C-alpha cells in the first residue's frame, strides 16, 4: 500500500504544533521556577534576582512574559486556576451550598499558607488590574455550586470571593499564619461570617 506523501503545508503545520507545545512547556517551567524563587526570596524579588535564583537569563523571562507585570499576570491567572480546580474537585456539584462555600475559602487559605510570598505576588496584580477578570471563573463556579442565580446573588458571590481573597491576604501578614493547624480555624471563621450574611440576604 502506497503511503501518501507529506505535503509542505503538513510539514509546516507539524513544526508549528511542536513549537507551540515546546513554548507551553517552557512557559510552565519558567512559572514553576519563578514560584520556587519567590517562595524562597520573597515577593519583592527583582527580575535580575529572579534570573539569578532560577539560573535563567532575564531575557528569557522577558521573551515569554514581556516584563515583570506580564509575569505577575501569568502568576495571578495560575493562582485563580488552582483555586478554581480546588473548588471544582471539592465535594459534589449537588452537595450542600455551605460545603461549596467552605471549599472556596479553603482553596484561598491553603494556597496562601503553602507560600505567602507567592500569594502576595499573585494578589498584587489582581489588586492593581482589577479583580474582575481574575475572579470571574471562581465566581461562576461558586454560583453554580451554591445554586445562586440572578444579579443580586451573583453580586453576593463576587463580594464573598473578594472578601475571602482580602481576608486571606490580611491573615497572612500575621506570622502565626505559618502554622498550618490554623487553616481550619480561619476557614471556619470566614465561612461562618459569609454564611450568616447569605442567610440574612436570602
Amino acid at each position: 500500500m502506497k503511503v501518501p506523501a507529506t505535503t509542505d503545508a503538513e510539514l509546516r503545520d507539524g513544526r508549528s504544533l511542536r513549537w507551540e507545545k515546546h513554548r507551553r512547556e517552557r512557559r510552565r517551567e519558567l512559572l514553576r521556577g519563578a514560584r520556587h524563587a519567590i517562595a524562597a526570596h520573597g515577593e519583592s524579588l527583582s527580575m535580575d534576582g529572579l534570573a539569578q535564583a532560577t539560573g535563567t537569563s532575564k531575557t528569557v523571562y522577558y521573551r515569554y512574559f514581556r516584563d515583570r507585570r506580564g509575569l505577575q499576570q501569568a502568576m495571578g491567572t495560575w493562582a485563580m486556576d488552582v483555586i478554581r480546580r480546588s473548588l471544582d474537585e471539592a465535594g459534589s456539584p449537588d452537595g450542600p451550598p455551605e460545603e461549596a462555600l467552605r471549599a472556596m475559602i479553603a482553596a484561598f487559605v491553603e494556597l496562601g499558607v503553602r507560600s505567602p510570598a507567592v500569594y502576595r505576588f499573585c494578589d498584587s496584580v489582581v489588586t492593581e488590574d482589577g479583580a474582575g477578570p481574575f475572579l470571574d471563573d471562581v465566581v461562576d463556579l461558586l454560583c453554580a455550586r451554591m445554586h445562586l442565580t440572578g444579579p443580586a446573588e451573583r453580586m453576593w458571590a463576587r463580594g464573598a470571593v473578594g472578601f475571602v481573597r482580602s481576608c486571606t491576604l490580611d491573615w497572612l501578614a500575621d506570622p502565626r499564619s505559618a502554622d498550618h493547624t490554623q487553616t481550619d480555624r480561619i476557614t471556619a471563621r470566614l465561612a461562618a461570617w459569609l454564611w450568616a450574611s447569605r442567610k440574612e440576604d436570602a
Side-chain angles (χ1 to χ4, degrees):
M1 180 178 177
K2 185 177 180 180
V3 178
T6 302
T7 66
D8 289 343
E10 288 172 332
L11 288 173
R12 286 194 298 272
D13 287 345
R15 285 194 295 268
S16 178
L17 288 172
R18 287 193 297 273
W19 175 242
E20 183 58 32
K21 180 181 178 182
H22 168 76
R23 281 187 60 83
R24 288 196 303 268
E25 291 174 350
R26 181 61 173 146
R27 196 171 189 272
R28 283 196 295 267
E29 289 173 2
L30 291 170
L31 280 173
R32 189 180 306 114
R35 291 198 301 272
H36 291 319
I38 291 165
H41 301 285
E43 66 274 17
S44 60
L45 186 67
S46 68
M47 292 300 284
D48 285 322
L50 177 62
Q52 183 177 2
T54 59
T56 305
S57 167
K58 185 170 66 173
T59 304
V60 173
Y61 273 100
Y62 284 149
R63 184 185 308 148
Y64 280 84
F65 303 104
R66 298 189 313 277
D67 52 20
R68 181 182 174 85
R69 174 53 121 214
L71 177 61
Q72 285 179 307
Q73 290 173 335
M75 292 273 279
T77 299
W78 165 83
M80 291 304 106
D81 284 345
V82 170
I83 290 168
R84 181 184 53 76
R85 287 197 303 271
S86 296
L87 176 55
D88 195 31
E89 294 167 1
S92 165
D94 299 322
E98 301 98 313
E99 184 179 302
L101 179 62
R102 188 181 178 91
M104 181 272 288
I105 296 168
F108 274 94
V109 171
E110 289 168 9
L111 180 63
V113 167
R114 194 182 312 159
S115 178
V118 170
Y119 187 95
R120 287 189 289 265
F121 184 85
C122 295
D123 189 81
S124 62
V125 73
V126 174
T127 301
E128 293 172 15
D129 286 3
F134 289 93
L135 301 182
D136 279 345
D137 284 350
V138 179
V139 172
D140 289 343
L141 188 54
L142 182 64
C143 285
R145 284 298 184 90
M146 292 188 69
H147 315 295
L148 303 177
T149 59
E153 290 186 317
R154 182 175 177 80
M155 187 184 300
W156 179 88
R158 181 170 292 283
V161 173
F163 174 76
V164 172
R165 178 184 67 82
S166 180
C167 285
T168 301
L169 188 66
D170 189 64
W171 177 66
L172 291 173
D174 185 340
R176 290 173 296 181
S177 64
D179 182 358
H180 287 226
T181 62
Q182 297 298 312
T183 58
D184 286 343
R185 182 180 178 184
I186 188 65
T187 297
R189 179 179 298 172
L190 296 181
W193 287 343
L194 284 173
W195 187 248
S197 74
R198 175 67 196 136
K199 288 194 293 185
E200 288 175 5
D201 188 55

